[in-house]
Amino acid sequence: MTGRDRSQPSRLTRADLAALPNYVPGRSPADLARELGMTEAIKLASNEVPFGPLPGVVEAVAEAAAGAHRYPDLAAVALREALAEQYGVAADRIATGCGSVALAEHLTRVTTLPGDEVVYSWRSFEAYPIITATSGATSVRVPNTAGHGHDLTAMADAVTDRTRLIFVCNPNNPTGTSVRRAELDRFLDTVPDDVLVVLDEAYREFVTDAEVPDGLTAYGDRPNVVVLRTLSKAWGLAGLRIGFLVAQPEVATAVRKVVTPFSSSVVAQAGALAALTQAEEVRRRCALVVAERDRVTEALRKLLPEVPTSQANFVWLPLPTLPGGVDRAVQFGRVCESRGVIVRPFPGEGVRVTIGTAAENDAFLAVAETALLFN
Ligand code: PMP
């Protein structure tokens, strides 16, 4: 048998996937602690909240696990009804999925064909280029403003006849910046009616600027707007994987059609239902995160004045590569890691740091001072 030339790439999978970036998960703190010989490391890399699951979630998950031999409710009826009540929208406008990242992927799938365009700001959520490329569509990246936010005027200009979908990440991951009501109104007015605009509001619960609109209340009546939310962040369920969207019934129905069947598990649905009874506790926790975010921002600005105002549960340290080629973001990340603090460097651009407990943030700030000295 003549074997194929193994120096050539395999043809079993699409050749263009090789050019795609990998989604980078935060490093395991247990691994790092072992490597450094420390009792524990601090993970501030994945925008999780630091308080553990909400009251009642663990019990609900354990109880639901007794039914793990049965398939979950495909239509997630109880969960959609609970979300409908929580957010004051009709349940037929809601679709749930295995994290909001899966829903972003489904939205790309229900709107684009190969050659169609997806517009988003860049740098933004790292999943957008991956899901766009895997659906066969073309990414149109509009550079962030000098202040690290969306350039909505340039994004409007980037819309063509091929544009089917636009992501507006508000607040933006990883820079924490947000767009305000007046500019978003103007932008939405310019987008053609048959182009879907996804307001990705994964961090909505941490927003304190009254000028930053809540997509559900501000744009619920716009047929081409979809609001994407998650229970992973403020609601503390990152490990259970439940996200949801609110859209026109037509769009929500299309998404429910393409969702991977049964991808919201029995335990995830039960945990989400339990979490949704804890809105008051979520507000209390978010207030703690917000107070810490503002404290960390102020402290960091003494070291790096360019740190932008964040409306999310993380802060962004702009650390572009120096003219001599020194990658300050990577270097900063390395120094933090060597001291047991895991942050999220974006090579050549900057570092995203999740807000943790006050003690974790203090540990980070102490390390940041040293790490910036090295820069
Ligand atoms: N959107 C944004 C802007 C995010 O930052 C994230 C998570 N990093 C997601 C969506 C996806 O979150 P999940 O899939 O856990 O709901």
Side-chain angles (χ1 to χ4, degrees), residues 27-42 334-342:
R27 194 173 170 193
S28 144
D31 276 358
L32 180 63
R34 236 186 332 271
E35 192 181 298
L36 296 175
M38 301 169 89
T39 45
E40 58 183 14
I42 296 170
R334 271 201 210 113
V335 176
C336 289
E337 217 165 283
S338 72
R339 308 281 180 102
V341 180
I342 305 166

Side-chain angles (χ1 to χ4, degrees), residues 154-170:
M155 286 176 75
D157 289 345
V159 172
T160 72
D161 289 348
R162 302 308 308 256
T163 307
R164 306 295 330 130
L165 189 67
I166 303 171
F167 285 108
V168 174
C169 191
N170 201 30

Side-chain angles (χ1 to χ4, degrees), residues 100-124:
S100 58
V101 69
L103 290 167
E105 188 172 358
H106 303 328
L107 283 164
T108 313
R109 214 185 295 162
V110 300
T111 52
T112 62
L113 288 169
D116 288 339
E117 292 171 355
V118 178
V119 173
Y120 51 87
S121 193
W122 197 252
R123 162 69 65 182
S124 188

Side-chain angles (χ1 to χ4, degrees), residues 204-222:
R204 172 68 212 173
E205 295 84 350
F206 305 105
V207 170
T208 49
D209 179 345
E211 291 296 311
V212 176
D214 172 328
L216 291 177
T217 49
Y219 304 115
D221 57 347
R222 291 202 183 225

Side-chain angles (χ1 to χ4, degrees), residues 256-336:
R256 290 201 297 269
K257 206 173 246 181
V258 304
V259 161
T260 308
F262 306 114
S263 56
S264 297
S265 74
V266 165
V267 291
Q269 291 188 38
L273 278 169
L276 287 169
T277 66
Q278 298 293 319
E280 200 45 54
E281 174 63 7
V282 169
R283 276 191 284 277
R284 191 186 72 82
R285 292 178 174 200
C286 287
L288 295 174
V289 170
V290 163
E292 278 297 294
R293 172 187 78 200
D294 296 347
R295 180 177 76 89
V296 169
T297 303
E298 202 175 310
L300 279 176
R301 279 185 178 154
K302 294 196 178 113
L303 306 167
L304 190 69
E306 308 89 288
V307 170
T309 297
S310 171
Q311 287 289 301
N313 68 333
F314 52 83
V315 290
W316 174 248
L317 284 72
L319 291 170
T321 299
L322 291 174
V326 176
D327 192 327
R328 299 161 77 204
V330 169
Q331 202 174 61
F332 183 95
R334 271 201 210 113
V335 176
C336 289

